[in-house]
Amino acid sequence: AKWEVYEAEFAGQDSIDCANVSSKFPFTEFFDDLEPIFKGENAKEDFEQAQLCFTYIKSIFDDLEDAKAFETMRSYSERSKYLVTTQAKIIAMTCTHAALKRHEFIKQGFEFDTIIMEEAAQVLEVETFVPLMLQQQESSSRLKRLVMLGDHNQLPPVVQNTAMQKFSRLDQSMFARLVRLGVSTVQLDMQGRARPELAKLYNWRYEALGDLEAVSCNKEYTLANAGMAHTFQFVDVQDFFGEGETSPRPYFYQNLGEAEMMVATYMYLRLLGHSANSIVMLTTYNGQKQLLRDIVESKCARSPSF
């Protein structure tokens, strides 16, 4: 090859002619559109520059070699599998997806060193094991560390069968179990997501939970919301036309009175000048979410004020 011949002629020599380094460089035309790559003052420096130029050219062919596989892969599935097993540095998935695709990952020779499990306190204990089993187990696994992030003081995993939940303790996550057994943990002691008045509603659940400086000083945390007398309010919504919470089908909960109250509050804030993207209507039930959407569509969609 041209480069090997060129390199063999100059490598290891104490005395090199600057003119020969530049005139015999085999890729001069490729770099013609750049500033002169050889200064002609020091032969050793010019040769090092030539080596850098060849490294750049070689990197182009390395990239082409990596992409070559895509020429033979026709389906999106094949290409995604190739990227996952050969190129990807970080792969994100749910525990459910890991369970569904476990055999495919093992068949592909999927390997990794670290697992970071977010919201680990809300994952069923048995589901926690699934990501740990995505590699071939016959030989030694590459897995070196498992990092679990979560808050065991919040909601536990959801188990809809009450008997299994209470008597079998299936609602206990592995995260909560390890904390209960005294495994060393790191607990954050400062919060920066809520005004101090709101944080007082839940900071009793944590040991010495303080506030970051931002929530005490930044204007978005210190200024009042126009039209609201308090930082927060709890409103006891009575039965609406004699009807409170309903469930049109199992686990699909709705409350018309609360939904009407939320939409009315939203409309009030919009008329005061609050932008729509600064208001959040938050609910924990899919049924209530659907009901809120229906009411907003009915009362707000046709008016530019809302």
Side-chain angles (χ1 to χ4, degrees):
K2 293 181 179 180
W3 173 256
E4 282 72 15
V5 173
Y6 175 81
E7 188 177 36
E9 183 174 348
F10 298 106
Q13 294 188 20
D14 296 330
S15 177
I16 306 175
D17 187 3
C18 287
N20 287 337
V21 172
S22 58
S23 63
K24 294 185 178 182
F25 182 62
F27 308 112
T28 302
E29 292 183 4
F30 182 80
F31 296 99
D32 267 351
D33 57 339
L34 302 178
E35 296 180 3
I37 56 177
F38 301 112
K39 296 180 179 179
E41 299 173 356
N42 186 301
K44 186 176 180 180
E45 291 181 359
D46 285 351
F47 183 65
E48 290 176 353
Q49 187 65 29
Q51 289 177 313
L52 290 175
C53 290
F54 178 72
T55 300
Y56 173 71
I57 293 175
K58 186 175 182 297
S59 70
I60 295 176
F61 282 92
D62 289 340
D63 291 340
L64 290 174
E65 185 65 28
D66 290 338
K68 185 178 179 181
F70 283 87
E71 296 296 322
T72 59
M73 296 178 185
R74 299 303 179 188
S75 69
Y76 172 80
S77 176
E78 289 178 333
R79 293 179 178 181
S80 63
K81 290 177 181 178
Y82 173 78
L83 289 174
V84 165
T85 55
T86 62
Q87 302 293 318
K89 302 297 183 184
I90 300 174
I91 300 172
M93 69 181 76
T94 64
C95 290
T96 302
H97 182 81
L100 293 173
K101 300 293 184 179
R102 177 175 178 268
H103 291 295
E104 291 185 20
F105 284 127
I106 293 177
K107 187 178 179 180
Q108 296 167 20
F110 189 49
E111 292 184 329
F112 50 88
D113 301 309
T114 303
I115 292 177
I116 300 177
M117 191 173 297
E118 200 257 347
E119 289 292 0
Q122 292 185 309
V123 179
L124 289 171
E125 191 163 29
V126 66
E127 287 184 327
T128 305
F129 288 100
V130 175
L132 308 181
M133 306 295 290
L134 294 182
Q135 303 185 82
Q136 288 283 1
Q137 300 302 311
E138 287 77 9
S139 57
S140 58
S141 173
R142 276 183 50 182
L143 184 61
K144 295 182 176 64
R145 63 191 68 84
L146 169 64
V147 181
M148 304 179 77
L149 309 174
D151 185 353
H152 59 290
N153 291 310
Q154 294 187 23
L155 292 175
V158 176
V159 179
Q160 294 181 348
N161 187 299
T162 305
M164 297 294 288
Q165 174 186 346
K166 299 300 181 183
F167 298 111
S168 300
R169 291 303 308 272
L170 286 184
D171 62 336
Q172 177 179 247
S173 64
M174 180 184 289
F175 183 93
R177 179 190 290 273
L178 295 175
V179 171
R180 182 172 58 84
L181 293 175
V183 175
S184 178
T185 59
V186 176
Q187 181 167 309
L188 303 182
D189 58 2
M190 302 291 281
Q191 72 86 23
R193 67 194 313 178
R195 298 188 183 212
E197 301 95 321
L198 288 170
K200 288 178 182 178
L201 295 173
Y202 56 80
N203 62 11
W204 59 272
R205 293 293 302 269
Y206 305 91
E207 183 178 351
L209 180 64
D211 301 314
L212 293 175
E213 184 180 353
V215 300
S216 302
C217 301
N218 291 3
K219 65 178 183 179
E220 57 266 30
Y221 291 100
T222 56
L223 296 180
N225 290 311
M228 302 302 246
H230 309 284
T231 301
F232 63 90
Q233 288 178 259
F234 294 100
V235 181
D236 182 14
V237 180
Q238 301 299 315
D239 291 351
F240 193 64
F241 292 111
E243 191 174 60
E245 185 178 279
T246 61
S247 182
R249 60 177 185 266
Y251 308 110
F252 195 78
Y253 302 109
Q254 295 183 332
N255 189 305
L256 181 59
E258 292 180 359
E260 289 282 1
M261 172 67 78
M262 288 186 69
V263 175
T265 304
Y266 166 79
M267 297 171 69
Y268 168 71
L269 291 173
R270 290 289 288 123
L271 291 173
L272 288 177
H274 292 276
S275 62
N277 60 11
S278 68
I279 304 171
V280 175
M281 287 188 282
L282 188 64
T283 178
T284 57
Y285 298 117
N286 287 327
Q288 191 74 350
K289 179 178 70 174
Q290 187 60 55
L291 183 59
L292 284 167
R293 285 178 172 174
D294 291 343
I295 297 175
V296 169
E297 178 69 22
S298 172
K299 294 190 173 182
C300 304
R302 297 178 180 82
S303 174
S305 300
F306 304 117

